[in-house]
Amino acid sequence: MNAQAPTIAAAAEITDHLAGFLKAAGDPLRLQVLQVLGQSSFGVLELCDIMAMKQSGMSHHLKVLAQGGLVEKRREGNSIFYRRRLPQADSAEGALHGALLDELDDSELNSEVAARLEQVQNQRAEQSRAFFARHAEHLDEQQELIADYDQYAEQAAELLLRACPNGENALEIGPGDGQFLAELASHFQQVVGLDNAEAMLAVARQTVAKRSNVQLILGDWPATANTLATVDAVVLNMVLHHLPSPASAIRAAARQLNEGGTLLITDLCPHDQHWAHEACGDVWLGFEEADLVNWAGRAGLELQETQFLALRNGFQVQVRTFRKNGQ
């Protein structure tokens, strides 16, 4: 009898856990929240705007989702954001959790919710655009406090060329002052740089003035993705933490790639340097490896190679390449 007691207790714990998971997933509104969180992390007030409901109601639903293991909180500076919790392979509901997220990602979001989601993301994008328009001339001074170009450029180029040795065309999103565009122009026949701030493009234009195979375009990512030709390589160098929806940006990058193409991501590991929000226009305080790999995997990309660069001023840079495999 005593030998059976732990087994009975463990079985009861598993069923209670599954019940909490199923309760969290068993509500249409909460499923819509999970769909929305597949695009990005959001604060409570942003989710209230997206779902058109009061804060008390949204807080209740988020609490149920958190208790069921479907969402988790992360602090970014003085703000708290909610994001999807990744499926845990060793949990009782792991396979069910993964299947649920796959189904949600394959389903169309309610049109009204989608429209309000777009408004919130546009507000974030406008804040980012305004920051870079104001600080274009002095951005390098602030950026060097985090990770200057020389700290990551050589490793990023090495990983990209190893993953994509025969690529003909490349797209860099948010090219900053254009230094990496010049590097890309030495290895690819055609290179496009896309930025949402004309002031930043003006700086990049001076850097690549002698490069006839570089084209600079003004536009938001991923909003303008469908206007561009597909490429063999997409580059996100130290830009993902500035974008309103990193998961959407990666998903759009995957669509932009030719089969066998490479996505290069250079960005910060998670950190607690909250001043970067105001000083550098950072939206996110770095990224967990699991998040980047999960977002890329759901977009049909496979991790190829990773390098971590030396810690500096409390920041560590990660460089990753992902491959778009043929179906």
Side-chain angles (χ1 to χ4, degrees):
M1 188 71 177
N2 289 337
Q4 294 179 350
T7 303
I8 295 173
E13 183 177 350
I14 291 173
T15 54
D16 287 346
H17 189 75
L18 282 172
F21 173 84
L22 293 172
K23 175 185 177 182
D27 180 273
L29 188 142
R30 289 197 284 272
L31 291 178
Q32 285 186 337
V33 170
L34 285 175
Q35 279 186 290
V36 168
L37 291 177
Q39 305 294 316
S40 183
S41 301
F42 293 99
V44 174
L45 295 181
E46 288 179 317
L47 288 170
C48 288
D49 290 341
I50 294 169
M51 302 305 300
M53 66 183 307
K54 294 181 179 179
Q55 184 175 352
S56 57
M58 179 54 62
S59 296
H60 166 73
H61 285 294
L62 290 171
K63 181 179 179 180
V64 175
L65 285 167
Q67 290 173 337
L70 286 165
V71 304
E72 58 189 8
K73 294 187 289 187
R74 177 178 174 181
R75 181 172 292 278
E76 296 279 350
N78 295 323
S79 302
I80 293 177
F81 289 85
Y82 284 86
R83 63 181 184 178
R84 283 179 176 178
R85 186 169 185 264
L86 300 181
Q88 307 299 304
D90 58 349
S91 67
E93 79 285 357
L96 184 60
H97 189 171
L100 173 64
L101 296 186
D102 288 341
E103 185 65 30
L104 291 175
D105 289 342
D106 289 340
S107 302
E108 289 290 330
L109 189 60
N110 174 279
S111 60
E112 294 181 357
V113 174
R116 293 191 293 266
L117 169 61
E118 184 177 6
Q119 289 178 352
V120 170
Q121 291 180 326
N122 286 342
Q123 290 170 1
R124 286 183 176 181
E126 180 56 37
Q127 292 172 356
S128 175
R129 188 161 42 242
F131 176 89
F132 287 104
R134 292 195 306 268
H135 299 282
E137 294 183 1
H138 307 288
L139 191 63
D140 285 348
E141 300 173 11
Q142 299 291 353
Q143 193 63 37
E144 287 177 2
L145 296 173
I146 298 177
D148 60 44
Y149 176 78
D150 291 336
Q151 185 187 357
Y152 64 84
E154 182 178 350
Q155 289 86 348
E158 182 180 320
L159 261 67
L160 176 61
L161 295 178
R162 190 151 58 229
C164 190
N166 301 312
E168 297 183 356
N169 41 38
L171 165 68
E172 183 173 12
I173 300 161
D177 61 10
Q179 289 187 76
F180 202 74
L181 283 175
E183 177 71 26
L184 292 172
S186 299
H187 302 284
F188 292 85
Q189 295 177 21
Q190 295 294 326
V191 176
V192 174
L194 175 74
D195 205 293
N196 66 359
E198 178 57 46
M200 293 304 302
L201 286 178
V203 177
R205 196 170 288 116
Q206 295 178 2
T207 303
V208 299
K210 297 181 180 181
R211 302 282 185 168
S212 60
N213 61 335
V214 178
Q215 178 186 11
L216 297 176
I217 297 175
L218 178 66
D220 286 311
W221 186 265
T224 56
N226 59 3
T227 67
L228 304 174
T230 57
V231 293
D232 298 316
V234 174
V235 175
L236 287 161
N237 265 341
M238 300 302 290
V239 70
L240 201 61
H241 60 266
H242 292 298
L243 298 181
S245 177
S248 297
I250 291 174
R251 193 157 49 246
R255 291 196 298 267
Q256 206 66 34
L257 285 172
N258 296 321
E259 296 298 340
T262 300
L263 170 63
L264 170 70
I265 296 179
T266 305
D267 219 291
L268 300 172
C269 297
H271 63 86
D272 59 0
Q273 306 293 309
H274 304 309
W275 57 266
H277 284 303
E278 296 297 328
C280 303
D282 292 10
V283 178
W284 311 107
L285 298 181
F287 299 100
E288 299 280 357
E289 175 183 8
D291 285 332
L292 293 179
V293 173
N294 180 262
W295 293 334
R298 290 185 174 279
L301 303 176
E302 181 181 351
L303 178 66
Q304 296 296 292
E305 193 171 356
T306 299
Q307 285 189 12
F308 292 94
L309 309 185
L311 194 68
R312 177 174 181 266
N313 294 338
F315 300 96
Q316 186 169 36
V317 174
Q318 54 184 315
V319 186
R320 302 180 186 276
T321 51
F322 298 87
R323 176 184 172 84
K324 183 174 183 178
N325 293 318
Q327 301 300 317

